[in-house]
Amino acid sequence: MVTHIGGCHCGRVRFEVIAPARLEALECNCSMCSKAGYLHLIVPADRFKLLTGAEVLTTYSFNTHTAKHLFCSVCGVKSFYVPRSHPDGFSVNVRCLDPGTIEEIKIQQFNGREWEAQFPKGRGQYT
Ligand SMILES: [Zn+2]
């Protein structure tokens, strides 16, 4: 496990996340993620820490409103958010992590268009 640092484009939002150096990321095909090209790294809340930028984050939600899509209101980048599958954790956008601590990124496809079929219990587990 290493501490990765990341954030939005303008630099106001900065966070750290504890995760393996060899990351497994999920590429989701849902209406939101496919438009944004978001790559998910989902972690429990105690492995994520927002360092700066709470005051510039703005929230967008839709459908069940469980997921809280958090965008930087200055540059528009969603560098992390609260996912519907893990409402007690965070999904970090692997594309927003600084280089230097990542050894490898393995990308798995995730069928978020059929979310209920992927998560019949209404949520996902941490791996
Ligand atoms: Zn920004």
Side-chain angles (χ1 to χ4, degrees):
M1 293 288 219
V2 299
T3 300
H4 302 283
I5 307 283
C8 69
H9 186 266
C10 73
R12 287 171 174 82
V13 176
R14 298 291 288 164
F15 58 78
E16 60 182 34
V17 60
I18 298 170
R22 295 172 182 271
L23 295 173
E24 292 193 4
L26 293 175
E27 184 172 33
C28 174
N29 64 2
C30 84
S31 62
M32 169 62 78
C33 298
S34 60
K35 283 183 187 279
Y38 195 100
L39 273 186
H40 299 259
L41 169 67
I42 296 174
V43 297
D46 62 1
R47 283 168 47 195
F48 176 88
K49 189 162 116 188
L50 183 63
L51 301 173
T52 62
E55 72 285 356
V56 296
L57 288 171
T58 192
T59 303
Y60 172 66
S61 67
F62 63 99
N63 193 9
T64 66
H65 300 280
T66 308
K68 304 298 180 198
H69 300 274
L70 299 166
F71 296 84
C72 173
S73 59
V74 177
C75 70
V77 167
K78 183 171 77 167
S79 54
F80 75 97
Y81 79 110
V82 178
R84 179 181 173 189
S85 62
H86 298 74
D88 52 355
F90 292 97
S91 170
V92 166
N93 190 348
V94 171
R95 298 193 195 277
C96 293
L97 293 177
D98 295 353
T101 53
I102 300 171
E103 287 181 15
E104 183 182 13
I105 302 171
K106 277 190 193 159
I107 297 176
Q108 293 182 344
Q109 301 302 313
F110 178 78
N111 184 14
R113 282 186 200 171
E114 297 177 79
W115 196 94
E116 287 81 2
Q118 297 297 306
F119 296 113
K121 292 178 180 167
R123 63 157 298 146
Q125 302 300 312
Y126 295 103
T127 52

